[in-house]
Amino acid sequence: MGVCELPLSSANPLSAWTTPVTSAPIQRSKSLHEQVYEAVRTRILSGQVRPGERLVETQLAQELQVSRTPLREALRKLQQEGLLAAEVGGGLRVATLSIQDAIELYDCRLALEGFAIAAACQQATPDQLEAMETWVLAAESDTTGDPVRLLDVDYGFHHAIAAASGNGRLVILLDQLFDAMALLRIQA
């Protein structure tokens, strides 16, 4: 078998990489600001909070049952990642993306994924190749036609390629890029 050929597998790939569509109550197993970050991020990427919608700190803090300090840390991180945008008079809104933003996102995706594929072909382990194969089989065998499920499978496959590159920073960059593209899909 060649370096980039994929072995067959019957494992379920969806158990490890699907992103929940609804947010759960905050648990105390992770740092509080990280849990708040994940909860707000999920709300944004699932479309519960729409692009252009204003986020009200007091309301979010009450809904998540946290103080404003961990909420502000989470919102700052989401703003740094480009999912939130600052308003002129203060406050934050879910980012809206322009046509130029979409073009730039796809240009970046082409460049980064090309690099990820080349590196994965050189460094992927048999287990990583099997994981990629599992994602391909999941896409091919899907009979639901559920676009959210197919997007999750697509994300899992591309994330598996990035992980197989052996470049942790590349994985982080592509994850941020995928989040922005998910926001773009919600906006469209």
Side-chain angles (χ1 to χ4, degrees):
M1 179 181 301
V3 174
C4 286
E5 291 180 40
L6 302 174
L8 295 176
S9 170
S10 61
N12 178 5
L14 298 178
S15 61
W17 293 106
T18 54
T19 302
V21 176
T22 59
S23 58
I26 299 299
Q27 302 295 315
R28 303 292 180 200
S29 59
K30 295 181 182 178
S31 70
L32 193 54
H33 81 273
E34 194 61 31
Q35 292 176 68
V36 172
Y37 161 81
E38 289 175 7
V40 177
R41 180 182 170 275
T42 297
R43 288 180 181 195
I44 292 168
L45 296 180
S46 69
Q48 287 177 306
V49 183
R50 304 290 300 169
E53 189 173 330
R54 186 171 193 270
L55 297 180
V56 180
E57 277 187 24
T58 53
Q59 179 183 348
L60 270 173
Q62 185 178 20
E63 289 173 11
L64 297 173
Q65 299 176 356
V66 297
S67 70
R68 290 171 67 181
T69 300
L71 177 62
R72 284 182 177 154
E73 290 177 43
L75 295 178
R76 189 174 312 114
K77 184 175 179 182
L78 290 164
Q79 185 179 7
Q80 289 170 344
E81 293 177 357
L83 293 177
L84 297 178
E87 292 185 300
V88 176
L92 295 169
R93 289 192 182 276
V94 175
T96 55
L97 301 173
S98 67
I99 292 172
Q100 184 61 37
D101 291 328
I103 292 168
E104 291 173 5
L105 287 170
Y106 278 98
D107 285 346
C108 289
R109 182 174 180 178
L110 284 170
L112 292 175
E113 284 193 332
F115 180 77
I117 290 166
C121 283
Q122 295 296 315
Q123 300 195 40
T125 66
D127 287 344
Q128 290 170 323
L129 291 171
E130 186 174 331
M132 287 182 248
E133 171 73 9
T134 303
W135 285 109
V136 169
L137 292 173
E140 290 174 348
S141 66
D142 183 79
T143 58
T144 66
D146 177 11
V148 173
R149 177 173 155 56
L150 289 174
L151 286 172
D152 285 343
V153 170
D154 181 68
Y155 166 78
F157 174 70
H158 289 275
H159 184 86
I161 293 170
S165 76
N167 186 328
R169 291 182 190 269
L170 179 61
V171 173
I172 291 168
L173 288 171
L174 280 168
D175 280 344
Q176 290 174 349
L177 186 65
F178 292 146
D179 285 353
M181 294 182 93
L183 185 61
L184 184 64
R185 279 190 293 275
I186 291 166
Q187 182 179 315

